[in-house]
Amino acid sequence: MKINRVISSIIEFIRGLSVTFWHLFVPSVTLQYPRQRWTVSDRYRGLERLAVDEEGRERCVGCCLCAQMCPSNAIKIVTGEGKDYNKEVISFEIDIARCLFCGLCVEACPKNALSMTGEYELACYNRAGMIYTKEGLYKSPDVTRYKK
Amino acid sequence: MITLTIDNKKVVVEDGATILAACEMAGSKVPTLCHEKKLLSFGACRICLVEVEGTRTKFTPSCTTPATDGMVVKTMTEALIKARRTILELLLISHPLDCPVCDKAGECSLQDLVYEYGVSGNRFKGIKFTLPVDHISPLIERDLNRCILCGKCVRICDELQGVSEISFVNRGMRTKIGTDFDRPLDCEFCGQCISVCPVGALTSKLFKYKARLWELENIPTICPYCSNGCTLILGIKDNQIKTITSHDDIGINEGNLCAKGRFGYEFVANPLRLKKPLVKRDGKFEEVDWDEALGLVVTKFNEIKTDSGANSIGALGSARLTNEEIYLFQHLIRQGLGTNNIDHGGGYSYQGLIGLKESLDYPASTNSIHEIRETKAILLLRADLNETHPNIKIEVNLAINRHQARLIVADNKRIKLSANVASNLIYKPGTELTLINGLINLLIKNDLINKDFIKEKTTGFDKLLSCVKKYTPEYVEGICEVNPQDLELAARVYAEAEKACIIVTCGMGLCGNNRDIALAASNLALLTGNIGKESSGVYILPEKNNSQGALDMGAVPGFLPGYMPVDKPGYSAFQMLEAGKLKGMFIVGENPVMTYPLPDVQKALESLEFLVVQDMFMTPTAELADVILPVGSFAEKEGTYANLGKRVQKLKKALLCHGETKSDLEIFIDLCQRMGCEITTDNNPLTSFIKEESNPLTSFIKGEFAGEDKPWKNNNWKGKFIPVESDEIKTDRDELLLVSTGSHLYSGSLSAWSPHLLEVKGEACVEVNYKDAKKIGLDAGDPVKISSKNASIKLKARLSDNIPEGVAVVETHPLLNVMVLFGQKMMPIKGKIGKE
Ligand code: SF4
Ligand code: SF4
Ligand code: SF4
Ligand code: SF4
Ligand code: SF4
Ligand code: FES
């Protein structure tokens, strides 16, 4: 009995080695981050951004539907009366630490103002840095997914 | 009773009910846009179509069609859905569809219906409205592009408010809701039109773009302004009141609010509110912590008490505190300091209620508010309800418009309600008692009195008889300047109605004869047997939200809580403010420097050794204090207010404390403990001591007086006739009779700190007749100097037809003390007006 068990463990060992050996000839998938960067798919859901229209005006009208939709309560919007009695978005904040990148806010936006980018490098040194304000959101990189 | 079938369900409804009401009973939801329960049916929108079997027309509007016996109704068929969808599409042709920025989104009936009926495109094409948006009117913004012409705003303004400020203008496609000549709104700014508008055409400027409706937490609480006790629904977001709304089914106001209730909440978030206790050192206020401030209060008061005796300390409370707070405050003063020197409201704002107690043994309005609408005759005695109690005015309008009640207005000027009266008695200011005695004389002469009632239920009729003998119509005409025919008509209208009520307002700033007027009114009611009946009686409308409670809880020198007698009455408010009488004072929530008719209040307060003021703001009175204790507003505390029908209603805490403020109750509890006077409470003194069964107060704080609690339900009860008379005031040719109006819509201690309300109120004014103005050479808006024997002040002139010749009406204003003109008695006074 004992000898049988020794033989079978040796066989398993060789089988394991053969898998390792085989992988020497398969192309690697590990990226050498940060020296190498990943090109994300068009449908990737990274950091949100706010868009301006053709004339450079903010598209967001402060309807707060995105904030209402967000399942993790990550969006905070303060609005008020601005110039010419129009609605003005006084502040727009997304707390990335809470965001789960579900994209529901983008779905909700009636003005095509909010979209998701391919930006995934979101680490920072403190929690405050996780809160993206209006300025940051209007500056964030080009969209990867932009519904028209 | 009518039986009909709705969606295969049998329901029984009352005669005259509409199909819509029946559908509601059957639980079938029928969409509506122009229907409003509290208004008459209109039938403008046609969205409430239903199918009725066996009728010639295909569809029937349910909100205007009465139900008939045996009707078979269907509320949701394919054809109906298609028809309703078409109606919505038609409405959307010219609608701007700017829901993302519309402040009504989320509670908009049109939005809800469009979503429910799945209208995603529009088969019709047409132009969108491009009407200019009204940004100029104060408080209310009108974007008529969103209007669906349901007419609710027009109807509520007309039927309930009686203002008729807005109406349909133009015809056909160009119909819109507007004012005459498209001027900005100049009305009561009650905002009732906003509350019924199903879409975002009428919105509140205070709420404009502040938040979205679905983000708000809605907390019902009680209005801090007048004694009607309306329920406000605070819309809270981020610990701030964003808006105030109402609900038709919550509270006694049935969803109606006035300008103060709806728009007067800005004082809560006013940046000038005090945040920390202040102590004056070397003439300057320094912020200290609570322990130090309260410690100082106790040591100082104890010092004064040992040095000069407890009677050299006095206290002024306020009718704006909750019942619990007032109870504890008088407990603190009576037990802790050991004096009966406690008063509020200048010592006479509550005298009207005391008058009723003397004659009817019941210190409150005899009937409940909603009974007014079913009465048959109303006598408004010195009651300019539009200004003082706007929601009681709604009851009066309902009585006139829906129940054919006849109205008699007795006032010293033409008031807004004078427009649809049976008899208008404009008397010379200050002669109310003569007028009522004249009415009584006429009733007796014409045998219009209820003899059985007088014999069985009253005492003192003989005294009254001999007193009113000389008040013949001619004599009354000589004094009151009231036409005998009008008087006769008024006597008939009042006495011949099967149920009739008298409404009197009282409070600071009105003529000081509150008690006598109440007695006169109750004489009149007793004479005609109008006490102890439904929809009749005497309504004494006090001024502030808890005026009733302040008296019930004994914040007066002459009574303990529950009207228990006191051994030795303390000083009244006016006596306390005589210079040199007191050494220390504790003033809570009142501002005597600005509101009392005494010229020397400031000097008296300055002469005190120690003054504590407890307030939300740095008022002129607070500036004289040694210690200022900052307190929380109505939205930051719990407790109860008693309204003028003696209904005790609960406040709800909606906001966190402002800065380091405490509620008045917490301060009183702390002070009671420091002074070592016992509080008989359960474990949680903040809310429960008033519920305690053993407490003698329970009988009148158990909510609105149950029917059997009213004294006249008792067979032995007898009402007392107490005759009252007054002296005549004579004016010379070149003099005017000055009279004050009482609290105007926006003149109060709270609205002063609400900027949008002040915007409506504008500057302090004195109103005079055109003819008098011509004599003096005044133009509208001229600055004038008014002087009486007591003082002289500067105001702006306003000219008006509503004021009789020879009279000048001085409006109260939050930023100016006009009461000083009148002196302690607060009666109309001779004075001069000159151009500045
Ligand atoms: S992506 Fe999802 S979780 Fe993130 S902000 Fe939008 S709705 Fe919220
Ligand atoms: S949903 Fe779009 S328009 Fe509305 S607040 Fe969010 S980003 Fe702005
Ligand atoms: S605010 Fe009141 S008075 Fe003015 S238009 Fe609206 S309903 Fe009428
Ligand atoms: S403004 Fe509002 S309430 Fe008035 S008619 Fe238009 S939709 Fe109706
Ligand atoms: S009527 Fe009186 S209680 Fe009602 S909202 Fe107006 S001020 Fe407040
Ligand atoms: S709700 Fe019936 S016609 Fe408008």
Side-chain angles (χ1 to χ4, degrees):
Chain A
M1 292 320 273
K2 214 170 201 183
I3 194 92
N4 269 354
R5 268 165 72 186
V6 172
I7 291 169
S8 70
S9 56
I10 290 171
I11 290 171
E12 289 302 321
F13 183 60
I14 292 172
R15 211 156 61 186
L17 270 185
S18 73
V19 170
T20 312
F21 185 73
W22 175 245
H23 269 273
L24 289 178
F25 303 101
V26 171
S28 103
V29 290
T30 309
L31 273 183
Q32 293 305 311
Y33 183 84
R35 269 180 287 122
Q36 279 178 319
R37 302 273 164 147
W38 179 38
T39 335
V40 295
S41 130
D42 266 0
R43 298 169 57 204
Y44 183 79
R45 299 199 297 262
L47 178 68
E48 294 81 354
R49 71 156 221 171
L50 284 168
V52 291
D53 67 5
E54 300 78 28
E55 290 163 43
R57 293 175 305 196
E58 296 176 4
R59 291 191 85 101
C60 171
V61 294
C63 71
C64 301
L65 288 179
C66 49
Q68 175 67 10
M69 219 45 198
C70 177
S72 53
N73 242 341
I75 305 180
K76 260 208 185 73
I77 302 170
V78 180
T79 56
E81 194 172 349
K83 271 201 305 263
D84 299 334
Y85 309 105
N86 283 333
K87 189 165 187 170
E88 186 190 39
V89 181
I90 296 167
S91 87
F92 191 114
E93 286 175 6
I94 300 187
D95 186 351
I96 294 302
R98 301 187 67 140
C99 176
L100 44 95
F101 303 102
C102 61
L104 284 177
C105 49
V106 176
E107 295 294 327
C109 181
K111 292 284 171 193
N112 277 343
L114 202 59
S115 50
M116 305 208 91
T117 63
E119 189 60 39
Y120 54 85
E121 292 166 314
L122 303 172
C124 64
Y125 288 104
N126 53 29
R127 272 167 181 278
M130 288 292 193
I131 296 175
Y132 280 72
T133 59
K134 209 164 118 176
E135 290 69 42
L137 289 166
Y138 272 110
K139 267 207 304 262
S140 57
D142 283 341
V143 260
T144 53
R145 177 167 174 277
Y146 184 74
K147 60 176 178 166
K148 190 82 193 185
Chain B
M1 286 296 169
I2 293 168
T3 316
L4 69 167
T5 319
I6 290 171
D7 293 339
N8 301 325
K9 217 168 155 191
K10 274 211 159 34
V11 284
V12 182
V13 292
E14 286 189 4
D15 293 344
T18 57
I19 301 182
L20 185 68
C23 293
E24 203 172 284
M25 257 181 123
S28 301
K29 194 177 156 246
V30 178
T32 58
L33 283 173
C34 72
H35 174 77
E36 180 76 34
K37 236 194 306 182
K38 55 191 173 193
L39 302 175
L40 303 175
S41 291
F42 195 56
C45 72
R46 286 340 206 204
I47 198 88
C48 65
L49 299 173
V50 291
E51 277 181 26
V52 179
E53 255 174 43
T55 43
R56 270 187 298 130
T57 48
K58 197 167 173 202
F59 304 126
T60 313
S62 64
C63 72
T64 47
T65 315
T68 53
D69 228 0
M71 249 183 187
V72 181
V73 179
K74 290 236 158 49
T75 64
M76 203 53 94
T77 63
E78 272 306 315
L80 277 174
I81 293 176
K82 233 174 123 191
R84 288 180 191 152
R85 213 177 264 160
T86 309
I87 293 171
L88 289 171
E89 275 175 276
L90 290 168
L91 281 176
L92 290 185
I93 294 176
S94 45
H95 193 89
L97 281 175
D98 53 355
C99 307
V101 291
C102 174
D103 280 328
K104 187 75 179 185
E107 284 178 11
C108 171
S109 308
L110 184 64
Q111 195 183 39
D112 292 350
L113 283 177
V114 165
Y115 182 75
E116 189 183 332
Y117 283 82
V119 183
S120 51
N122 203 339
R123 284 173 287 157
F124 309 105
K125 289 228 158 46
I127 37 157
K128 299 273 178 201
F129 284 140
T130 46
L131 298 165
V133 180
D134 172 15
H135 298 294
I136 300 164
S137 304
L139 297 168
I140 294 170
E141 185 165 297
R142 293 181 297 157
D143 183 350
L144 296 172
N145 300 311
R146 296 179 185 146
C147 173
I148 57 167
L149 296 171
C150 70
K152 279 202 224 175
C153 53
V154 176
R155 285 179 285 146
I156 202 164
C157 192
D158 179 40
E159 285 176 34
L160 299 191
Q161 299 310 121
V163 177
S164 306
E165 173 73 4
I166 41 181
S167 182
F168 294 100
V169 273
N170 298 340
R171 290 203 277 169
M173 268 306 278
R174 288 166 58 227
T175 315
K176 62 171 186 178
I177 301 292
T179 53
D180 27 344
F181 307 111
D182 271 336
R183 60 167 169 75
L185 292 175
D186 178 18
C187 58
E188 295 186 355
F189 297 103
C190 57
Q192 290 275 78
C193 45
I194 299 179
S195 77
V196 289
C197 183
V199 294
L202 303 173
T203 46
S204 156
K205 275 195 171 173
L206 275 63
F207 179 57
K208 191 176 177 192
Y209 302 150
K210 289 271 162 56
R212 317 259 33 214
L213 285 168
W214 57 81
E215 299 174 325
L216 302 177
E217 189 189 351
N218 289 321
I219 301 180
T221 191
I222 307 300
C223 176
Y225 282 93
C226 87
S227 56
N228 198 42
C230 301
T231 299
L232 310 176
I233 299 184
L234 311 183
I236 309 282
K237 185 191 163 193
D238 301 335
N239 198 33
Q240 278 171 1
I241 305 180
K242 295 285 182 191
T243 186
I244 286 186
T245 50
S246 56
H247 192 290
D248 287 1
D249 300 328
I250 306 178
I252 53 155
N253 48 325
E254 301 181 335
N256 302 316
L257 294 178
C258 74
K260 290 178 281 185
R262 195 184 302 276
F263 300 117
Y265 55 86
E266 284 176 305
F267 72 91
V268 174
N270 193 314
L272 294 173
R273 266 186 69 183
L274 301 171
K275 292 198 182 68
K276 283 191 100 183
L278 300 171
V279 168
K280 198 184 254 167
R281 294 203 180 99
D282 307 326
K284 273 210 195 94
F285 283 114
E286 283 173 26
E287 292 190 347
V288 296
D289 62 11
W290 276 99
D291 193 47
E292 190 179 339
L294 294 180
L296 186 67
V297 172
V298 173
T299 352
K300 276 285 188 181
F301 276 140
N302 279 339
E303 255 174 45
I304 296 177
K305 196 171 147 187
T306 29
D307 289 352
S308 341
N311 246 353
S312 55
I313 304 176
L316 287 180
S318 158
R320 293 221 187 277
L321 300 176
T322 65
N323 286 324
E324 288 83 338
E325 286 161 355
I326 295 168
Y327 179 82
L328 260 196
F329 182 52
Q330 65 84 30
H331 183 72
L332 175 73
I333 302 303
R334 292 204 160 102
Q335 309 303 319
L337 294 175
T339 169
N340 276 326
N341 298 342
I342 177 170
D343 209 344
H344 71 276
Y348 61 78
S349 65
Y350 51 83
Q351 293 294 346
L353 299 174
I354 297 213
L356 275 199
K357 179 168 167 47
E358 284 174 39
S359 68
L360 304 178
D361 197 23
Y362 185 69
S365 299
T366 59
N367 294 51
S368 71
I369 296 169
H370 292 319
E371 288 177 39
I372 298 177
R373 66 176 65 162
E374 305 205 336
T375 187
K376 291 290 170 215
I378 302 172
L379 167 58
L380 292 184
L381 179 52
R382 191 186 75 179
D384 190 358
L385 298 179
N386 291 53
E387 298 290 351
T388 55
H389 295 79
N391 271 7
I392 307 279
K393 172 203 66 183
I394 294 180
E395 294 292 325
V396 173
N397 278 334
L398 282 177
I400 300 172
N401 296 338
R402 306 244 170 109
H403 295 267
Q404 289 78 44
R406 304 184 75 191
L407 181 67
I408 309 157
V409 172
D411 210 307
N412 49 32
K413 57 178 190 292
R414 256 184 83 83
I415 60 173
K416 283 195 186 140
L417 281 168
S418 306
N420 36 9
V421 291
S423 168
N424 202 5
L425 310 173
I426 299 184
Y427 55 79
K428 198 170 144 198
T431 62
E432 294 93 347
L433 302 180
T434 312
L435 184 83
I436 299 292
N437 283 341
L439 275 177
I440 293 177
N441 178 303
L442 266 176
L443 290 183
I444 297 174
K445 196 177 88 193
N446 295 347
D447 198 22
L448 285 167
I449 55 181
N450 187 337
K451 287 198 186 110
D452 298 339
F453 186 86
I454 295 175
K455 204 162 143 219
E456 279 164 32
K457 288 278 172 208
T458 63
T459 58
F461 180 59
D462 302 335
K463 260 193 285 169
L464 185 74
L465 208 57
S466 59
C467 163
V468 299
K469 209 167 248 156
K470 71 171 186 201
Y471 290 91
T472 57
E474 295 71 38
Y475 177 76
V476 172
E477 186 183 10
I479 292 185
C480 306
E481 294 165 9
V482 170
N483 184 333
Q485 280 102 37
D486 288 342
L487 199 67
E488 178 107 24
L489 180 64
R492 286 210 174 275
V493 168
Y494 177 76
E496 283 172 359
E498 65 189 283
K499 5 182 206 182
C501 60
I502 307 177
I503 301 179
V504 190
T505 53
C506 62
M508 291 278 282
L510 287 162
C511 295
N513 51 1
N514 291 313
R515 170 182 166 272
D516 294 350
I517 289 194
L519 285 174
S522 103
N523 286 344
L524 197 55
L526 285 172
L527 205 62
T528 47
N530 269 318
I531 296 285
K533 275 199 302 198
E534 288 253 308
S535 302
S536 57
V538 182
Y539 291 83
I540 301 285
L541 311 184
E543 190 185 354
K544 298 201 171 118
N545 51 349
N546 201 22
S547 293
Q548 185 70 48
L551 188 62
D552 288 349
M553 294 297 143
V556 285
F559 293 115
L560 297 180
Y563 306 92
M564 306 283 175
V566 23
D567 322 328
K568 191 175 154 283
Y571 294 141
S572 74
F574 289 147
Q575 285 169 331
M576 284 186 231
L577 289 172
E578 277 166 34
K581 209 152 204 170
L582 298 180
K583 292 249 156 39
M585 260 191 109
F586 193 173
I587 300 181
V588 180
E590 264 195 6
N591 185 4
V593 175
M594 288 305 276
T595 58
Y596 278 33
L598 304 174
D600 293 331
V601 176
Q602 183 144 355
K603 260 189 230 145
L605 292 180
E606 272 164 5
S607 74
L608 293 173
E609 260 172 44
F610 187 60
L611 172 65
V612 184
V613 172
Q614 193 167 308
D615 209 309
M616 281 193 287
F617 292 100
M618 184 61 95
T619 60
T621 307
E623 270 160 25
L624 307 174
D626 296 294
V627 179
I628 304 179
L629 306 174
V631 291
S633 71
F634 79 107
E636 293 143 28
K637 64 186 181 188
E638 289 189 321
T640 57
Y641 291 147
N643 86 337
L644 57 89
K646 271 217 169 195
R647 184 195 281 246
V648 176
Q649 314 188 90
K650 264 204 180 129
L651 288 179
K652 260 211 183 131
K653 185 174 161 91
L655 300 178
L656 303 175
C657 291
H658 182 81
E660 279 178 40
T661 59
K662 290 188 180 204
S663 79
D664 296 85
L665 195 64
E666 286 169 299
I667 297 173
F668 295 145
I669 289 177
D670 197 327
L671 284 175
C672 276
Q673 278 157 357
R674 280 168 200 260
M675 292 204 180
C677 67
E678 218 182 310
I679 307 172
T680 43
T681 64
D682 286 353
N683 291 336
N684 181 2
L686 273 177
T687 51
S688 60
F689 77 96
I690 241 157
K691 289 197 216 108
E692 232 180 278
E693 282 307 315
S694 60
N695 194 314
L697 306 176
T698 35
S699 67
F700 55 87
I701 49 183
K702 263 189 187 153
E704 193 159 5
F705 243 110
E708 62 270 23
D709 280 345
K710 295 204 172 166
W712 41 86
K713 300 273 153 152
N714 184 340
N715 280 336
N716 299 329
W717 174 86
K718 279 204 184 329
K720 287 193 208 76
F721 284 111
I722 304 176
V724 278
E725 293 181 277
S726 64
D727 307 330
E728 197 182 339
I729 313 168
K730 286 221 167 67
T731 41
D732 291 336
R733 284 188 134 239
D734 61 333
E735 283 174 328
L736 291 172
L737 197 54
L738 306 180
V739 56
S740 78
T741 55
S743 89
H744 252 251
L745 252 188
Y746 318 103
S747 63
S749 47
L750 298 179
S751 35
W753 305 94
S754 304
H756 274 89
L757 281 191
L758 271 190
E759 189 187 313
V760 179
K761 169 75 184 166
E763 276 177 275
C765 279
V766 53
E767 268 188 297
V768 286
N769 188 297
Y770 284 102
K771 288 184 188 150
D772 287 325
K774 211 170 167 194
K775 262 188 251 160
I776 313 169
L778 283 183
D779 270 331
D782 278 350
V784 292
K785 187 171 164 180
I786 312 181
S787 39
S788 72
K789 69 171 194 272
N790 297 313
S792 69
I793 53 172
K794 286 175 198 159
L795 292 174
K796 279 232 155 116
R798 183 177 324 128
L799 312 188
S800 159
D801 266 342
N802 296 332
I803 316 289
E805 266 182 78
V807 173
V809 174
V810 188
E811 288 177 0
T812 50
H813 195 275
L815 306 177
L816 185 74
N817 188 353
V818 298
M819 297 300 156
V820 286
L821 286 173
F822 298 96
Q824 187 171 337
K825 272 202 186 146
M826 276 306 298
M827 289 306 283
I829 195 164
K830 299 181 286 189
K832 284 203 173 124
I833 293 191
K835 216 164 160 176
E836 198 24 22

